[in-house]
């Protein structure tokens, strides 16, 4: 029987941490029961392990008692890191990082959920590899771990025994993915039906809310961002924008990318599509009406950019999120 370690990481834990732990225990327990009922021998043993030798952790209304301490686990086959930030730079945190690194070098696979990607990245294991986390943490993550290839649009990444997933309760989709990996497709389908979790979701783009990175201190770029956001209905050219701020196109591009993580064109597209999303969610306007309001005149171009950013067509997005429209389908 193989071994799965589900961490309770001493750090910045919250109710999402507890939710990840409880959801993992329940889904893997049900998968194991189904597997045995089908005539198979038990395959995995899952334990909840503390990263600091405590007997109980209390957070708000929840008290959690880990089964063991990571220092007592010599070998494990899979480490699951729930939603949690690394916390302060303490000796206990380094013990956790060292233990994760040691287990990985010994052949263990690792899965992180939501902000748990920050803990995984802090170990150094993710440098040069693909990773996902909650879309709301994307800018912070890129600033802290520039060597990691963050794909904040992806719901799940899978690279050389490292699994990561997007935000919040999308950890349930990662669990179904892991059940298929560690049991089989049929067990995963069973769990998806029992717990009513959609299978094979691969994007979190439609959930993202674009706010733009403005904590960079470049006044010119902040002014350019404000201009783009205040003139959504205009077709903005980068040449015109750079000349407005009396700087060359190449220098303008370079400063904008360094400050925001987006090119000026990408930023304008995201601002326009975010405005379009809100209109599609809350008004009776047609897709074409919304398209014109955010500065597009070419239906095909609007649809392509909208799908690129959200993973859905404008009409699909309206059908999903507009209450009045939803009742008609």
């Amino acid at each position: 029987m193989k071994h799965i370690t589900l961490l309770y990481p001493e750090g910045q834990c919250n109710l999402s941490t507890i939710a990840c732990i409880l959801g993992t225990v329940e889904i893997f327990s049900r998968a194991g029961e189904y597997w045995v009922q089908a005539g198979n021998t038990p395959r995995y043993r899952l334990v909840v392990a503390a990263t600091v030798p405590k007997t109980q952790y209390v957070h708000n209304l929840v008290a959690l008692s880990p089964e063991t301490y990571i220092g007592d686990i010599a070998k494990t086959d899979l480490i699951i890191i729930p939603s949690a930030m690394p916390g302060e730079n303490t000796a206990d945190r380094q013990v956790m990082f060292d233990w994760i690194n040691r287990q990985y070098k010994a052949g263990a696979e690792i899965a992180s959920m939501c902000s748990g990607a920050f803990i995984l990245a802090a170990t150094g294991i993710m440098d040069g590899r693909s990773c996902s986390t909650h879309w709301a943490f994307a800018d912070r993550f890129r600033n802290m771990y520039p060597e990691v290839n963050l794909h904040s649009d992806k719901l799940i990444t899978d690279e050389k025994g490292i699994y990561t997933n997007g935000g919040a309760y999308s950890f349930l989709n990662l669990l179904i993915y892991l059940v298929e990996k560690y049991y089989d497709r049929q067990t995963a389908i069973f769990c998806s039906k029992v717990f009513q979790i959609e299978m094979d979701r691969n994007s979190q783009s439609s959930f993202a809310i674009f706010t733009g990175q403005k904590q960079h201190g470049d006044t010119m770029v902040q002014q350019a961002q404000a201009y783009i956001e205040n003139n959504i209905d205009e077709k903005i050219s980068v040449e015109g924008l750079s000349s407005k701020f009396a700087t060359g196109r190449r220098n303008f591009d370079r400063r904008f990318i360094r400050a925001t993580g987006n090119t000026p064109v990408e930023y304008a597209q995201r601002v326009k599509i975010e405005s379009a999303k809100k209109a599609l969610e809350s008004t009776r306007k047609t897709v074409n009406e919304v398209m014109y309001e955010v500065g597009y005149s070419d239906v095909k171009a609007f649809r392509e950019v909208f799908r690129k950013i959200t993973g859905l067509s404008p009409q699909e997005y309206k059908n999903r999120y507009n209450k009045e429209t939803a009742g008609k389908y």
Side-chain angles (χ1 to χ4, degrees), residues 166-183:
Y169 282 73
S170 69
F171 79 85
L172 295 169
N173 300 97
L174 175 63
L175 287 174
I176 296 299
Y177 187 85
L178 291 175
V179 166
E180 181 172 356
K181 283 271 185 180
Y182 279 75
Y183 286 94

Side-chain angles (χ1 to χ4, degrees), residues 90-141:
T90 63
D92 289 326
R93 188 179 82 157
Q94 193 57 50
V95 167
M96 174 178 67
F97 292 165
D98 291 344
W99 182 84
I100 292 172
N101 266 296
R102 190 164 59 251
Q103 294 294 335
Y104 181 66
K105 289 175 182 177
E109 296 191 325
I110 308 175
S112 72
M113 299 169 166
C114 192
S115 60
F118 283 77
I119 292 176
L120 181 54
T123 67
I125 291 172
M126 294 305 295
D127 288 358
R129 293 185 177 170
S130 297
C131 181
S132 185
T133 190
H134 197 296
W135 55 262
F137 298 145
D139 289 333
R140 181 179 176 185
F141 188 95

Side-chain angles (χ1 to χ4, degrees), residues 158-286:
D158 177 347
E159 184 177 344
K160 297 180 181 178
I162 303 287
Y163 313 97
T164 69
N165 93 283
Y169 282 73
S170 69
F171 79 85
L172 295 169
N173 300 97
L174 175 63
L175 287 174
I176 296 299
Y177 187 85
L178 291 175
V179 166
E180 181 172 356
K181 283 271 185 180
Y182 279 75
Y183 286 94
D184 59 14
R185 178 75 174 178
Q186 194 56 47
T187 306
I189 290 172
F190 172 78
C191 288
S192 77
K193 291 180 177 180
V194 168
F195 295 103
Q196 299 185 42
I197 303 167
E198 185 180 347
M199 289 195 68
D200 301 325
R201 272 187 58 205
N202 56 20
S203 174
Q204 61 176 350
S205 296
S206 65
F207 298 101
I209 301 171
F210 182 72
T211 56
Q213 159 68 307
K214 297 188 176 73
Q215 308 303 314
H216 46 72
D218 189 323
T219 303
M220 184 204 74
V221 174
Q222 288 173 340
Q223 291 173 348
Q225 288 174 277
Y227 183 85
I228 291 170
E229 292 166 9
N230 292 329
N231 296 275
I232 291 174
D233 59 337
E234 287 188 17
K235 185 174 181 180
I236 296 172
S237 74
V238 181
E239 288 80 4
L241 201 56
S242 60
S243 64
K244 185 179 290 292
F245 294 98
T247 186
R249 164 70 186 267
R250 184 176 297 179
N251 183 50
F252 181 79
D253 273 349
R254 186 168 56 249
R255 285 176 64 175
F256 202 99
I257 293 169
R258 184 170 61 244
T260 70
N262 296 117
T263 68
V265 170
E266 289 170 342
Y267 194 89
Q269 288 176 339
R270 288 183 173 276
V271 167
K272 289 174 181 291
I273 297 306
E274 190 61 34
S275 180
K277 284 162 57 181
K278 290 175 182 176
L280 292 170
E281 291 166 5
S282 58
T283 72
R284 296 188 179 187
K285 293 173 182 174
T286 66

